Amino acid sequence: MPNIKIFSGSSHPDLSQKIAERLGLQLGRVVTKKFSNMETCVEIGESVRGEDVYIVQSGCGEINDNIMEMLIMINACKIASACRVTAVIPCFPYARQDKKDKVRHLDFYESLLPCAFLIQPCSISAKLVANMLSVAGADHIITMDLHASQIQGFFDIPVDNLYAEPAVLKWIKDNIPEWRNGIIVSPDAGGAKRVTSIADRLNVDFALIHKERKKANEVDRMVLVGDVKDRVAVLVDDMADTCGTMCHAADRLVSAGATKVYAILTHGIFSGPAISRINSAQFEAVVVTNTIPQEEKMKQCAKIQVIDIAMILAEAIRRTHNGESVSYLFSHVPL
């Protein structure tokens, strides 16, 4: 593959190395350091003039530092006359802040104002990140399982939103012997489209859980829509952060008669009390992809298993570089 360079940010070097190995390439030389005032400095250690450059940086760990590092790397390559710069962002940062939906409690005087004033001022941060990537000089974005697919519309440059679904289907068939007697469950109404697609391809039933929140990261009650009695339940979602919703959903499924409960997630963030909650929850396994590093989490929790999606990202890079369609990856796992 001539005229291509792959560089890794500091968020997930293991995934970057696997992608490079899959393509038969060496990662480009990058030196990242911080000044005493915590400013980020990035030095690209080789020429990128006329090259097709791919920068791999996931939205995890020290997210704000990693975003800044990625922006600097993109800009450095762009002003060094790279032919094209593609940001490969397996887990897109700030994807949950994709709309203005915060409503604040009104006092007496505010209640007299028109309804337009009910919305609490807040940033659509996913759009802000999209703008920063474009201004930095990115020509193309490759990401996976965006929390909200409309984020693609925040960009004025091409965005390939890959899906982990083919890898999820393969894992279910290979690792759940009773999958034909299973039921695919969404932990919230927003994931209905995702679970119906998987259920249709497996030719099994699906269910969903309607959750009512008192406030962010705190679920008030859950209502199960569907019959899971004497069946293997597979919870499917795009991401899990503190895992409160997911663990409550597992308890709800067990109380409704499910024989086993699995959870399959694309992005396992697992912050705060997530690991302790998973350890005490009634899961057979919690399966995540490696869009986010999971080595430390796996040491703390034996239930966590990882699906490697490096081959999907590598194939997307190869097809993009060669001018081929990436739609094949929406339904197949590269061999």
Side-chain angles (χ1 to χ4, degrees), residues 123-157:
S123 171
I124 304 178
S125 302
K127 169 64 173 172
L128 178 61
V129 173
N131 289 342
M132 290 192 296
L133 288 166
S134 297
V135 171
D139 299 297
H140 182 205
I141 304 295
I142 297 176
T143 187
M144 177 167 280
D145 275 3
L146 283 171
H147 183 66
S149 58
Q150 68 263 22
I151 293 175
Q152 295 174 84
F154 294 171
F155 290 88
D156 294 323
I157 57 177

Side-chain angles (χ1 to χ4, degrees), residues 45-241:
E46 52 194 84
S47 174
V48 296
R49 182 177 295 274
E51 301 280 357
D52 190 9
V53 174
Y54 294 83
I55 297 171
V56 183
Q57 182 82 307
S58 195
C60 58
E62 298 291 337
I63 292 179
N64 296 329
D65 285 348
N66 290 335
I67 290 174
M68 197 66 208
E69 179 182 286
M70 177 171 55
L71 296 174
I72 294 172
M73 291 176 71
I74 292 170
N75 189 249
C77 292
K78 197 65 179 179
I79 63 178
S81 301
C83 176
R84 177 176 60 179
V85 179
T86 299
V88 182
I89 313 172
C91 180
F92 193 86
Y94 289 88
R96 286 177 286 183
Q97 300 183 44
D98 62 304
K99 58 184 176 294
K100 293 178 69 172
D101 61 352
K102 303 293 189 298
V103 180
R104 69 171 183 268
H105 178 73
L106 302 179
D107 62 26
F108 172 75
Y109 295 102
E110 285 180 315
S111 65
L112 302 177
L113 297 174
C115 290
F117 291 89
L118 295 176
I119 301 298
Q120 176 178 324
C122 61
S123 171
I124 304 178
S125 302
K127 169 64 173 172
L128 178 61
V129 173
N131 289 342
M132 290 192 296
L133 288 166
S134 297
V135 171
D139 299 297
H140 182 205
I141 304 295
I142 297 176
T143 187
M144 177 167 280
D145 275 3
L146 283 171
H147 183 66
S149 58
Q150 68 263 22
I151 293 175
Q152 295 174 84
F154 294 171
F155 290 88
D156 294 323
I157 57 177
V159 177
D160 285 323
N161 180 28
L162 306 176
Y163 299 109
E165 181 179 307
V168 168
L169 291 168
K170 185 177 185 301
W171 190 93
I172 291 173
K173 291 178 179 179
D174 291 346
N175 295 276
I176 304 179
E178 316 94 326
W179 67 267
R180 289 181 177 82
N181 185 41
I183 183 167
I184 311 299
V185 185
S186 172
D188 55 40
K193 184 177 179 181
R194 183 182 300 107
V195 300
T196 52
S197 175
I198 292 175
D200 287 346
R201 293 180 66 178
L202 290 173
N203 195 27
V204 299
D205 293 333
F206 72 92
L208 62 87
I209 295 174
H210 172 64
K211 61 184 180 183
E212 298 177 357
R213 293 184 183 273
K214 290 188 291 186
K215 58 183 181 181
N217 288 335
E218 186 174 336
V219 177
D220 185 20
R221 60 190 291 264
M222 287 186 159
V223 179
L224 175 63
V225 182
D227 182 17
V228 301
K229 185 173 177 58
D230 298 327
R231 308 176 83 172
V232 175
V234 182
L235 278 165
V236 177
D237 206 353
D238 66 319
M239 66 172 59
D241 190 354

Side-chain angles (χ1 to χ4, degrees), residues 243-269:
C243 294
T245 297
M246 189 176 67
C247 293
H248 281 306
D251 293 339
R252 182 71 185 86
L253 292 170
V254 170
S255 65
T259 57
K260 294 180 181 178
V261 179
Y262 294 84
I264 303 182
L265 316 158
T266 305
H267 310 299
I269 301 173

